[in-house]
Amino acid sequence: MDPELRLDTQLCFALYTASRKVTSAYREPLKAMGLTYPQYLVMLALWDRHPRTVKDLGEHLMQDSATLSPLLKRLEARGLITRERDPGNERALAVTVTPEGAALRERAVQVPEEMMRRLRVTAEQVQRLNEEMHLLIATAQENAQENEEDGTRA
């Protein structure tokens, strides 16, 4: 078999498998907080800055509103966030962390260290991996935009 077609040499397979395994490793620490992994990502984005519009949140998380809406509804039902019309733009929903959601942040502070322990990586390794992944994401986005533009020109 051609070495370039072996499964274990494929970047896509390594990324896919790593994503599944790392996401799975988060399950137990997040379960103790009552969050799923996607809900955790939403809360991280909101703890970083809120209020945020659903559109802004989606862009930050690289998710569409159809994916975010059910997550936000569940977080709101738990009392961790509120969703209200943005006073500056009545068509937009502003998402804000409640006091209960802010209190959960104090428990979440321990998650990154716990995950480094579980995955046996150092802070320096995490930083390097993040830098490489962000570079890969940016390149993939640029490629997707170029392909989209080529498709509109055809």
Side-chain angles (χ1 to χ4, degrees), residues 14 28 46 48-49 58-59 63 83 87 92-93 108 116 135 138 141:
E28 189 177 320
L46 290 170
D48 186 44
R49 181 169 57 90
E59 288 171 358
Q63 298 282 329
R83 296 178 306 146
L93 275 179
M116 285 190 292
L135 196 73
Q141 283 179 311

Side-chain angles (χ1 to χ4, degrees), residues 2 6 10 12 17 20 37 40 55 57 64-65 85 89 100-101 110 122 130 132 137:
D2 296 326
R6 287 186 37 202
Q10 301 301 306
C12 59
T17 304
R20 285 184 25 246
Y37 182 73
Y40 175 65
K55 181 181 178 187
L57 194 55
D64 60 30
S65 61
R85 291 284 165 209
N89 179 357
E100 293 84 2
Q110 300 168 4
T122 65
N130 266 323
E132 293 294 326
I137 291 165

Side-chain angles (χ1 to χ4, degrees), residues 22-23 35 49 51 53 55 57 70 73 78 91 110 124 132 136-137 154:
V22 170
T23 301
L35 293 175
R49 181 169 57 90
T53 65
K55 181 181 178 187
L57 194 55
K73 285 179 184 176
R78 287 206 38 222
R91 296 183 304 169
Q110 300 168 4
E124 294 78 21
E132 293 294 326
L136 187 61
I137 291 165

Side-chain angles (χ1 to χ4, degrees), residues 85-143:
R85 291 284 165 209
D86 187 340
N89 179 357
E90 282 297 314
R91 296 183 304 169
L93 275 179
V95 183
T96 305
V97 176
T98 64
E100 293 84 2
L104 190 60
R105 182 184 187 280
E106 299 308 313
R107 292 175 56 197
V109 168
Q110 300 168 4
V111 172
E113 189 173 310
E114 171 67 12
M115 292 311 301
M116 285 190 292
R117 186 189 64 73
R118 285 173 177 262
L119 298 172
R120 297 184 188 123
V121 294
T122 65
E124 294 78 21
Q125 288 172 310
V126 170
Q127 183 180 348
R128 281 196 311 273
L129 284 166
N130 266 323
E131 288 170 1
E132 293 294 326
M133 289 296 103
H134 287 293
L135 196 73
L136 187 61
I137 291 165
T139 302
Q141 283 179 311
E142 288 172 17
N143 186 42

Side-chain angles (χ1 to χ4, degrees), residues 63-71:
Q63 298 282 329
D64 60 30
S65 61
T67 302
L68 276 179
S69 289
L71 288 171

